[in-house]
Amino acid sequence: MGQAPWWKRAIVYQIYPLSFKDSNQDGLGDIPGIISRLDYLKRLGVDVIWLSPVYRSPMDDNGYDIADYYSIDPIFGTLDDMKRLLNEVHDRGMKLIMDLVVNHTSDEHIWFKESKKDVHSPYRDYYLWRQEPTQVDSIFGGSAWTLDPTTNMYYFHLFSKRQPDLNWHHKPLREAIYTMVNWWLDLGIDGFRMDVIDLIGKNIDQMKFADGPYLHTYLKELYERCFEGRDIMTVGEMPGLSIERAKEITHGEHPLLDMVFQFAHVGLDEVPGQGKWVLKKLDLLEFKHTFETLQKMMHDGGWNSLFLSNHDQPRVVSRYGSELYRKASAKMLATILYGMQGTPYIYQGEEIGMTGIQMPIKDYRDLETKQIYDILKQKGWDERDIMRSIYAKSRDNSRTPFQWNRKDYAGFSTHEPWLSVNPNYLSLNAEDDQNDPEGVFPYYQKLIQLRKTHPIFDEGDFMLIFKDHPLVFAYQRKYQEKTITVIGSFSDQPITLDLSSLNLKQIIQTNDETVTLSPLMTLSPYYTAIFS
Ligand code: GLC
């Protein structure tokens, strides 16, 4: 077996630029702000930074609506700032990947402005126009078709009406995309996170969207035209892809993508088929078995990305852990997740155990949240039920400004930020957390170092233990002659486990030193440990 590619050993850290660090005190995070915090990331043990979009955008969807792929939005800085960021990242021995949003553009992209002018425009077929709409809902709610009065035809958008979908069947569009992708790669970036890339092969007339009939063809072409032969990493966001297909895409001699974000575990706290706002208590058994399938399936080929959170998902402590046992549960979730096989992803703030937020509806900024509030109101939902769902699931939960210290606005800015700071910043911030021996950050540092020094984390197989325990997530990994055991309690009560058959030698990392290794162990609330 040859040397594993660097991205299999890398720790990836996602930055949501609007909320990370503001350097020019306008309340909006920016690229110079990111540069000022690179040493922090290096100290954590980060190898790769994934930057959510910083391209020019009207910010209808906070940058996931791109108006110009070749320029940086002035709120974030300039192209020179971007080049400086890249250099500073490389100087520290880290890498940088950008977000590639090519399922759709902003309605302010010149292609769309030209496209809508008249049916004979050379850009007309860059987008999907039809005389009559079909019955398709957009992912943010409401119809996926909007009538444009200029030519009196409908254009298709799977997200907001300000995010028209690109027509990948049109070769000139694909060529324009490849030119752009190569331009960024030639500039020296180290790869891409590819936004909802499972949608580019859709056939809207056959009502096939995710994992559509042309997905393989276009991914292959993209690979051959842009990625092949370059030492980069690619990770595709593929919410609509089955685990089997995720494996196919990342497997074989010439995988089309290095890894994907597979979503099998993400919707388990939702009533199936009802969308993300209809809540259901997480069934840990289901959660464990989904990870088991992912781990087993990807073990002999294919590659996993390990994530629980990102800018679209709620904060993990509030979602799967407990705000009451904040530090313990933040550490437990990290241990369970990063003990598995795959490339670990940390979403900004996860490493200090940031939590979700509850605000009056007027303070939310996310377009999906605002849209769903109106839709659920129209459907006759009770205000309290709507807000309960929004508190649990709004994307703004994870987008509140990063909590750096105890200063005003949590040290994110001296100006009022674009989105409220979580009021808990006085007791939850990076500065205090790093100086706290019980802090989440020092725990992450240690966990990352542990992963980096023991190949078993990268190579070992996976076997669930205590399979049917409803409150404990536990597994063993084996590699060559070695075994490690990872245990995490999802309970706020003590749990006694009989570990006598496991042959555990010692605890190599834990969130509670007061619990000693014994055949009959009583785990404290949200206890976690890795045993050799
Ligand atoms: C992805 C992004 C999300 C965005 C959507 C449309 O799911 O992660 O933030 O709203 O695509 O681009």
Side-chain angles (χ1 to χ4, degrees):
M1 208 168 62
Q3 178 98 13
W6 55 265
W7 44 263
K8 285 197 173 175
R9 302 281 175 270
I11 308 288
V12 185
Y13 187 94
Q14 182 192 354
I15 292 184
Y16 195 66
L18 267 186
S19 303
F20 192 58
K21 175 70 188 157
D22 177 17
S23 75
N24 61 347
Q25 315 310 339
D26 59 359
L28 305 159
D30 49 45
I31 294 175
I34 297 172
I35 296 174
S36 73
R37 289 301 184 269
L38 290 178
D39 291 333
Y40 168 85
L41 299 180
K42 185 73 191 169
R43 258 198 325 277
L44 180 60
V46 169
D47 303 300
V48 176
I49 295 169
W50 149 26
L51 199 60
S52 277
V54 288
Y55 313 90
R56 191 161 68 73
S57 161
M59 301 287 156
D60 185 50
D61 190 14
N62 296 351
Y64 283 92
D65 48 324
I66 297 174
D68 179 4
Y69 289 106
Y70 292 94
S71 61
I72 301 296
D73 197 275
I75 68 175
F76 295 128
T78 61
L79 191 58
D80 277 340
D81 290 327
M82 186 62 212
K83 290 181 184 163
R84 194 157 63 85
L85 171 63
L86 191 58
N87 283 335
E88 299 264 356
V89 167
H90 287 164
D91 284 350
R92 288 169 177 78
M94 298 188 284
K95 295 185 189 276
L96 182 90
I97 65 171
M98 289 181 80
D99 224 299
L100 183 67
V101 189
V102 289
N103 173 67
H104 46 266
T105 65
S106 159
D107 61 346
E108 291 186 23
H109 195 291
I110 183 78
W111 295 340
F112 190 69
K113 288 190 189 162
E114 290 296 324
S115 182
K116 68 178 189 181
K117 274 190 188 156
D118 84 86
V119 295
H120 302 296
S121 156
Y123 291 95
R124 187 65 172 180
D125 290 337
Y126 273 44
Y127 296 87
L128 297 156
W129 294 95
R130 295 289 183 274
Q131 213 75 52
E132 293 297 328
T134 50
Q135 277 295 333
V136 187
D137 280 346
S138 98
I139 291 165
F140 292 154
S143 173
W145 292 99
T146 293
L147 181 67
D148 186 70
T150 326
T151 56
N152 207 25
M153 280 175 76
Y154 292 83
Y155 65 90
F156 186 76
H157 54 89
L158 276 171
F159 295 91
S160 94
K161 63 171 190 262
R162 302 207 50 198
Q163 293 168 297
D165 275 44
L166 288 165
N167 177 14
W168 272 74
H169 311 312
H170 188 53
K171 193 157 187 297
L173 175 271
R174 298 204 302 279
E175 291 297 329
I177 298 283
Y178 304 150
T179 304
M180 179 273 289
V181 168
N182 281 319
W183 186 85
W184 278 106
L185 291 171
D186 291 343
L187 209 78
I189 67 161
D190 303 293
F192 288 107
R193 174 266 188 187
M194 296 150 74
D195 192 60
V196 287
I197 202 73
D198 58 334
L199 295 176
I200 63 170
K202 62 182 152 290
N203 182 326
I204 58 171
D205 301 311
Q206 291 174 1
M207 304 287 267
K208 296 214 167 97
F209 307 108
D211 198 7
Y214 310 101
L215 180 63
H216 192 272
T217 312
Y218 297 151
L219 277 182
K220 184 157 182 286
E221 194 176 80
L222 178 62
Y223 172 80
E224 288 169 355
R225 295 289 302 279
C226 303
F227 302 155
E228 193 167 18
R230 294 194 194 251
D231 185 24
I232 57 167
M233 76 170 256
T234 54
V235 49
E237 187 205 22
M238 299 201 155
L241 209 77
S242 67
I243 301 181
E244 292 77 11
R245 293 278 294 125
K247 175 161 184 174
E248 265 171 51
I249 284 178
T250 60
H251 188 47
E253 212 174 317
H254 299 293
L256 297 177
L257 297 174
D258 295 329
M259 62 191 119
V260 306
F261 291 125
Q262 212 283 332
F263 278 63
H265 62 288
V266 174
L268 297 177
D269 54 0
E270 298 157 14
V271 176
Q274 303 275 303
K276 77 183 224 185
W277 307 98
V278 185
L279 309 177
K280 162 175 164 268
K281 193 175 175 316
L282 180 78
D283 174 354
L284 190 67
L285 295 181
E286 238 185 313
F287 194 66
K288 292 198 288 189
H289 293 147
T290 307
F291 275 107
E292 179 186 33
T293 312
L294 267 166
Q295 286 289 299
K296 291 213 148 132
M297 182 89 84
M298 296 292 199
H299 183 62
D300 58 344
W303 192 249
N304 256 318
S305 44
L306 304 173
F307 79 102
L308 284 178
S309 174
N310 57 41
H311 64 292
D312 296 327
Q313 300 299 326
R315 288 283 178 191
V316 290
V317 167
S318 312
R319 186 181 195 178
Y320 304 118
S322 157
E323 292 184 15
L324 218 59
Y325 295 94
R326 187 179 66 76
K327 290 185 204 168
S329 63
K331 294 172 191 174
M332 183 278 288
L333 291 165
T335 312
I336 289 296
L337 182 66
Y338 304 136
M340 291 192 240
Q341 186 178 41
T343 297
Y345 284 76
I346 302 170
Y347 175 66
Q348 68 180 42
E350 221 172 347
E351 77 283 10
I352 56 168
M354 277 178 66
T355 60
I357 192 167
Q358 302 190 355
M359 313 181 272
I361 188 67
K362 67 169 180 36
D363 291 345
Y364 284 84
R365 297 287 172 266
D366 174 29
L367 86 166
E368 182 194 39
T369 306
K370 293 200 267 193
Q371 206 153 310
I372 203 66
Y373 179 83
D374 293 340
I375 291 173
L376 296 179
K377 271 256 146 172
Q378 275 163 23
K379 283 192 178 165
W381 276 42
D382 183 84
E383 175 78 16
R384 265 170 315 176
D385 292 335
I386 299 179
M387 291 317 290
R388 192 175 312 127
S389 288
I390 287 180
Y391 294 157
K393 285 296 180 74
S394 168
R395 305 194 298 181
D396 280 343
N397 276 305
S398 55
R399 298 177 178 185
T400 59
F402 192 99
Q403 293 163 211
W404 290 106
N405 54 40
R406 285 189 221 168
K407 296 196 186 125
D408 287 352
Y409 305 123
F412 163 75
S413 176
T414 55
H415 184 286
E416 185 181 358
W418 69 281
L419 176 66
S420 303
V421 171
N422 194 314
N424 64 11
Y425 73 95
L426 289 174
S427 58
L428 193 183
N429 60 72
E431 201 173 289
D432 291 343
D433 190 73
Q434 286 173 89
N435 295 325
D436 174 1
E438 300 292 306
V440 182
F441 184 98
Y443 186 91
Y444 263 71
Q445 278 180 312
K446 210 175 144 203
L447 187 61
I448 289 171
Q449 286 323 313
L450 194 71
R451 240 197 106 97
K452 287 187 173 171
T453 40
H454 296 280
I456 192 165
F457 287 102
D458 297 316
E459 307 289 350
D461 64 5
F462 179 94
M463 192 180 75
L464 267 187
I465 51 174
F466 298 105
K467 232 177 151 80
D468 299 319
H469 198 299
L471 296 169
V472 170
F473 195 151
Y475 55 86
Q476 289 193 312
R477 312 269 320 264
K478 285 195 196 333
Y479 179 57
Q480 294 171 342
E481 300 304 296
K482 295 209 165 67
T483 303
I484 54 163
T485 304
V486 181
I487 295 184
S489 161
F490 278 68
S491 173
D492 58 4
Q493 301 297 317
I495 290 178
T496 301
L497 279 187
D498 180 356
L499 303 172
S500 54
S501 63
L502 293 179
N503 193 21
L504 304 178
K505 295 192 193 67
Q506 61 175 24
I507 297 176
I508 50 178
Q509 169 131 6
T510 177
N511 64 353
D512 187 353
E513 305 277 355
T514 65
V515 178
T516 47
L517 177 56
S518 61
L520 209 59
M521 247 173 100
T522 300
L523 318 182
S524 49
Y526 294 99
Y527 179 80
T528 191
I530 303 178
F531 304 82
S532 60

PDB file of all heavy atoms in Angstrom, residues 61 64 101 104 140 159 163 193 195-196 237 311-312 395 399, ligand 1:
ATOM      1  N   ASP A  61     -28.228  34.522   0.524  1.00  0.00           N
ATOM      2  CA  ASP A  61     -27.989  33.284   1.284  1.00  0.00           C
ATOM      3  C   ASP A  61     -26.544  33.306   1.810  1.00  0.00           C
ATOM      4  O   ASP A  61     -25.822  32.316   1.740  1.00  0.00           O
ATOM      5  CB  ASP A  61     -28.247  32.071   0.371  1.00  0.00           C
ATOM      6  CG  ASP A  61     -28.263  30.752   1.141  1.00  0.00           C
ATOM      7  OD1 ASP A  61     -28.342  30.772   2.384  1.00  0.00           O
ATOM      8  OD2 ASP A  61     -28.172  29.695   0.480  1.00  0.00           O
ATOM      9  N   TYR A  64     -23.785  31.991  -0.516  1.00  0.00           N
ATOM     10  CA  TYR A  64     -24.088  30.803  -1.337  1.00  0.00           C
ATOM     11  C   TYR A  64     -24.907  31.206  -2.567  1.00  0.00           C
ATOM     12  O   TYR A  64     -25.508  30.367  -3.230  1.00  0.00           O
ATOM     13  CB  TYR A  64     -24.767  29.705  -0.500  1.00  0.00           C
ATOM     14  CG  TYR A  64     -23.744  28.973   0.361  1.00  0.00           C
ATOM     15  CD1 TYR A  64     -23.477  29.389   1.656  1.00  0.00           C
ATOM     16  CD2 TYR A  64     -23.009  27.917  -0.155  1.00  0.00           C
ATOM     17  CE1 TYR A  64     -22.510  28.740   2.428  1.00  0.00           C
ATOM     18  CE2 TYR A  64     -22.044  27.260   0.604  1.00  0.00           C
ATOM     19  CZ  TYR A  64     -21.802  27.672   1.888  1.00  0.00           C
ATOM     20  OH  TYR A  64     -20.844  27.047   2.645  1.00  0.00           O
ATOM     21  N   VAL A 101     -19.702  26.681  -5.437  1.00  0.00           N
ATOM     22  CA  VAL A 101     -21.168  26.676  -5.502  1.00  0.00           C
ATOM     23  C   VAL A 101     -21.569  26.781  -6.967  1.00  0.00           C
ATOM     24  O   VAL A 101     -21.638  27.867  -7.536  1.00  0.00           O
ATOM     25  CB  VAL A 101     -21.753  27.862  -4.695  1.00  0.00           C
ATOM     26  CG1 VAL A 101     -23.268  27.739  -4.582  1.00  0.00           C
ATOM     27  CG2 VAL A 101     -21.121  27.950  -3.319  1.00  0.00           C
ATOM     28  N   HIS A 104     -26.057  26.597  -8.683  1.00  0.00           N
ATOM     29  CA  HIS A 104     -26.836  27.801  -8.956  1.00  0.00           C
ATOM     30  C   HIS A 104     -25.923  29.016  -8.814  1.00  0.00           C
ATOM     31  O   HIS A 104     -24.810  28.894  -8.308  1.00  0.00           O
ATOM     32  CB  HIS A 104     -28.000  27.911  -7.968  1.00  0.00           C
ATOM     33  CG  HIS A 104     -27.570  27.651  -6.543  1.00  0.00           C
ATOM     34  ND1 HIS A 104     -27.657  26.411  -5.958  1.00  0.00           N
ATOM     35  CD2 HIS A 104     -27.019  28.445  -5.597  1.00  0.00           C
ATOM     36  CE1 HIS A 104     -27.202  26.454  -4.719  1.00  0.00           C
ATOM     37  NE2 HIS A 104     -26.799  27.693  -4.473  1.00  0.00           N
ATOM     38  N   PHE A 140     -35.965  25.466   0.373  1.00  0.00           N
ATOM     39  CA  PHE A 140     -36.270  26.434   1.431  1.00  0.00           C
ATOM     40  C   PHE A 140     -37.777  26.648   1.621  1.00  0.00           C
ATOM     41  O   PHE A 140     -38.200  27.499   2.396  1.00  0.00           O
ATOM     42  CB  PHE A 140     -35.618  27.793   1.135  1.00  0.00           C
ATOM     43  CG  PHE A 140     -34.104  27.779   1.208  1.00  0.00           C
ATOM     44  CD1 PHE A 140     -33.360  28.695   0.475  1.00  0.00           C
ATOM     45  CD2 PHE A 140     -33.443  26.876   2.025  1.00  0.00           C
ATOM     46  CE1 PHE A 140     -31.973  28.707   0.553  1.00  0.00           C
ATOM     47  CE2 PHE A 140     -32.050  26.877   2.109  1.00  0.00           C
ATOM     48  CZ  PHE A 140     -31.322  27.791   1.360  1.00  0.00           C
ATOM     49  N   PHE A 159     -33.298  26.409  -4.546  1.00  0.00           N
ATOM     50  CA  PHE A 159     -33.165  27.146  -3.287  1.00  0.00           C
ATOM     51  C   PHE A 159     -33.996  28.433  -3.415  1.00  0.00           C
ATOM     52  O   PHE A 159     -35.097  28.388  -3.921  1.00  0.00           O
ATOM     53  CB  PHE A 159     -31.677  27.344  -2.957  1.00  0.00           C
ATOM     54  CG  PHE A 159     -31.006  26.012  -2.698  1.00  0.00           C
ATOM     55  CD1 PHE A 159     -30.409  25.290  -3.719  1.00  0.00           C
ATOM     56  CD2 PHE A 159     -31.046  25.444  -1.429  1.00  0.00           C
ATOM     57  CE1 PHE A 159     -29.851  24.033  -3.479  1.00  0.00           C
ATOM     58  CE2 PHE A 159     -30.491  24.194  -1.175  1.00  0.00           C
ATOM     59  CZ  PHE A 159     -29.891  23.494  -2.208  1.00  0.00           C
ATOM     60  N   GLN A 163     -31.622  32.433  -6.304  1.00  0.00           N
ATOM     61  CA  GLN A 163     -30.547  31.465  -6.607  1.00  0.00           C
ATOM     62  C   GLN A 163     -30.961  30.559  -7.769  1.00  0.00           C
ATOM     63  O   GLN A 163     -31.217  29.367  -7.597  1.00  0.00           O
ATOM     64  CB  GLN A 163     -30.258  30.600  -5.371  1.00  0.00           C
ATOM     65  CG  GLN A 163     -29.649  31.388  -4.207  1.00  0.00           C
ATOM     66  CD  GLN A 163     -29.643  30.594  -2.904  1.00  0.00           C
ATOM     67  OE1 GLN A 163     -30.702  30.239  -2.396  1.00  0.00           O
ATOM     68  NE2 GLN A 163     -28.478  30.327  -2.364  1.00  0.00           N
ATOM     69  N   ARG A 193     -14.680  22.301  -1.391  1.00  0.00           N
ATOM     70  CA  ARG A 193     -15.883  21.689  -0.839  1.00  0.00           C
ATOM     71  C   ARG A 193     -16.964  22.064  -1.846  1.00  0.00           C
ATOM     72  O   ARG A 193     -17.129  23.238  -2.190  1.00  0.00           O
ATOM     73  CB  ARG A 193     -16.180  22.269   0.549  1.00  0.00           C
ATOM     74  CG  ARG A 193     -17.504  21.791   1.167  1.00  0.00           C
ATOM     75  CD  ARG A 193     -18.636  22.743   0.877  1.00  0.00           C
ATOM     76  NE  ARG A 193     -19.844  22.397   1.617  1.00  0.00           N
ATOM     77  CZ  ARG A 193     -21.013  22.995   1.449  1.00  0.00           C
ATOM     78  NH1 ARG A 193     -21.135  23.985   0.590  1.00  0.00           N
ATOM     79  NH2 ARG A 193     -22.057  22.625   2.140  1.00  0.00           N
ATOM     80  N   ASP A 195     -20.607  22.488  -3.027  1.00  0.00           N
ATOM     81  CA  ASP A 195     -21.953  22.728  -2.524  1.00  0.00           C
ATOM     82  C   ASP A 195     -23.008  21.926  -3.301  1.00  0.00           C
ATOM     83  O   ASP A 195     -23.027  21.978  -4.540  1.00  0.00           O
ATOM     84  CB  ASP A 195     -22.233  24.232  -2.686  1.00  0.00           C
ATOM     85  CG  ASP A 195     -23.470  24.683  -1.948  1.00  0.00           C
ATOM     86  OD1 ASP A 195     -23.512  24.531  -0.721  1.00  0.00           O
ATOM     87  OD2 ASP A 195     -24.401  25.191  -2.607  1.00  0.00           O
ATOM     88  N   VAL A 196     -23.888  21.256  -2.564  1.00  0.00           N
ATOM     89  CA  VAL A 196     -24.980  20.446  -3.158  1.00  0.00           C
ATOM     90  C   VAL A 196     -24.656  19.904  -4.555  1.00  0.00           C
ATOM     91  O   VAL A 196     -25.467  20.005  -5.482  1.00  0.00           O
ATOM     92  CB  VAL A 196     -26.342  21.195  -3.164  1.00  0.00           C
ATOM     93  CG1 VAL A 196     -26.920  21.269  -1.764  1.00  0.00           C
ATOM     94  CG2 VAL A 196     -26.249  22.594  -3.762  1.00  0.00           C
ATOM     95  N   GLU A 237     -20.638  17.936  -1.094  1.00  0.00           N
ATOM     96  CA  GLU A 237     -21.823  17.919  -0.226  1.00  0.00           C
ATOM     97  C   GLU A 237     -22.930  17.216  -1.003  1.00  0.00           C
ATOM     98  O   GLU A 237     -23.344  17.680  -2.068  1.00  0.00           O
ATOM     99  CB  GLU A 237     -22.251  19.347   0.127  1.00  0.00           C
ATOM    100  CG  GLU A 237     -23.374  19.342   1.167  1.00  0.00           C
ATOM    101  CD  GLU A 237     -24.261  20.585   1.157  1.00  0.00           C
ATOM    102  OE1 GLU A 237     -24.312  21.280   0.118  1.00  0.00           O
ATOM    103  OE2 GLU A 237     -24.912  20.840   2.170  1.00  0.00           O
ATOM    104  N   HIS A 311     -22.420  25.018   8.975  1.00  0.00           N
ATOM    105  CA  HIS A 311     -23.186  26.268   9.028  1.00  0.00           C
ATOM    106  C   HIS A 311     -24.677  26.071   8.746  1.00  0.00           C
ATOM    107  O   HIS A 311     -25.440  27.031   8.809  1.00  0.00           O
ATOM    108  CB  HIS A 311     -22.593  27.242   8.021  1.00  0.00           C
ATOM    109  CG  HIS A 311     -22.746  26.725   6.611  1.00  0.00           C
ATOM    110  ND1 HIS A 311     -22.069  25.613   6.156  1.00  0.00           N
ATOM    111  CD2 HIS A 311     -23.521  27.135   5.592  1.00  0.00           C
ATOM    112  CE1 HIS A 311     -22.422  25.371   4.909  1.00  0.00           C
ATOM    113  NE2 HIS A 311     -23.302  26.287   4.536  1.00  0.00           N
ATOM    114  N   ASP A 312     -25.071  24.853   8.375  1.00  0.00           N
ATOM    115  CA  ASP A 312     -26.490  24.583   8.125  1.00  0.00           C
ATOM    116  C   ASP A 312     -27.130  23.798   9.265  1.00  0.00           C
ATOM    117  O   ASP A 312     -28.346  23.598   9.271  1.00  0.00           O
ATOM    118  CB  ASP A 312     -26.660  23.739   6.856  1.00  0.00           C
ATOM    119  CG  ASP A 312     -26.205  24.450   5.600  1.00  0.00           C
ATOM    120  OD1 ASP A 312     -26.346  25.685   5.537  1.00  0.00           O
ATOM    121  OD2 ASP A 312     -25.700  23.771   4.690  1.00  0.00           O
ATOM    122  N   ARG A 395     -30.726  27.630  11.057  1.00  0.00           N
ATOM    123  CA  ARG A 395     -29.307  27.663  10.689  1.00  0.00           C
ATOM    124  C   ARG A 395     -28.567  28.781  11.415  1.00  0.00           C
ATOM    125  O   ARG A 395     -27.343  28.755  11.513  1.00  0.00           O
ATOM    126  CB  ARG A 395     -29.169  27.804   9.170  1.00  0.00           C
ATOM    127  CG  ARG A 395     -29.926  26.707   8.419  1.00  0.00           C
ATOM    128  CD  ARG A 395     -29.527  26.621   6.976  1.00  0.00           C
ATOM    129  NE  ARG A 395     -29.812  27.834   6.219  1.00  0.00           N
ATOM    130  CZ  ARG A 395     -29.555  27.973   4.926  1.00  0.00           C
ATOM    131  NH1 ARG A 395     -29.005  26.976   4.256  1.00  0.00           N
ATOM    132  NH2 ARG A 395     -29.834  29.091   4.296  1.00  0.00           N
ATOM    133  N   ARG A 399     -24.543  30.142  13.338  1.00  0.00           N
ATOM    134  CA  ARG A 399     -23.952  31.267  12.615  1.00  0.00           C
ATOM    135  C   ARG A 399     -23.710  32.477  13.507  1.00  0.00           C
ATOM    136  O   ARG A 399     -23.262  33.520  13.031  1.00  0.00           O
ATOM    137  CB  ARG A 399     -24.862  31.647  11.444  1.00  0.00           C
ATOM    138  CG  ARG A 399     -24.998  30.508  10.450  1.00  0.00           C
ATOM    139  CD  ARG A 399     -25.952  30.829   9.330  1.00  0.00           C
ATOM    140  NE  ARG A 399     -26.008  29.716   8.382  1.00  0.00           N
ATOM    141  CZ  ARG A 399     -26.681  29.735   7.246  1.00  0.00           C
ATOM    142  NH1 ARG A 399     -27.348  30.800   6.895  1.00  0.00           N
ATOM    143  NH2 ARG A 399     -26.668  28.679   6.448  1.00  0.00           N
TER     144      ARG A 399
HETATM  145  C1  GLC B   1     -25.755  24.125   0.767  1.00  0.00           C
HETATM  146  C2  GLC B   1     -25.165  25.128   1.716  1.00  0.00           C
HETATM  147  C3  GLC B   1     -26.257  25.991   2.267  1.00  0.00           C
HETATM  148  C4  GLC B   1     -26.895  26.727   1.111  1.00  0.00           C
HETATM  149  C5  GLC B   1     -27.358  25.761   0.036  1.00  0.00           C
HETATM  150  C6  GLC B   1     -27.621  26.493  -1.231  1.00  0.00           C
HETATM  151  O1  GLC B   1     -26.580  23.215   1.390  1.00  0.00           O
HETATM  152  O2  GLC B   1     -24.423  24.466   2.689  1.00  0.00           O
HETATM  153  O3  GLC B   1     -25.794  26.893   3.221  1.00  0.00           O
HETATM  154  O4  GLC B   1     -27.970  27.477   1.569  1.00  0.00           O
HETATM  155  O5  GLC B   1     -26.399  24.790  -0.273  1.00  0.00           O
HETATM  156  O6  GLC B   1     -26.415  26.952  -1.764  1.00  0.00           O
END
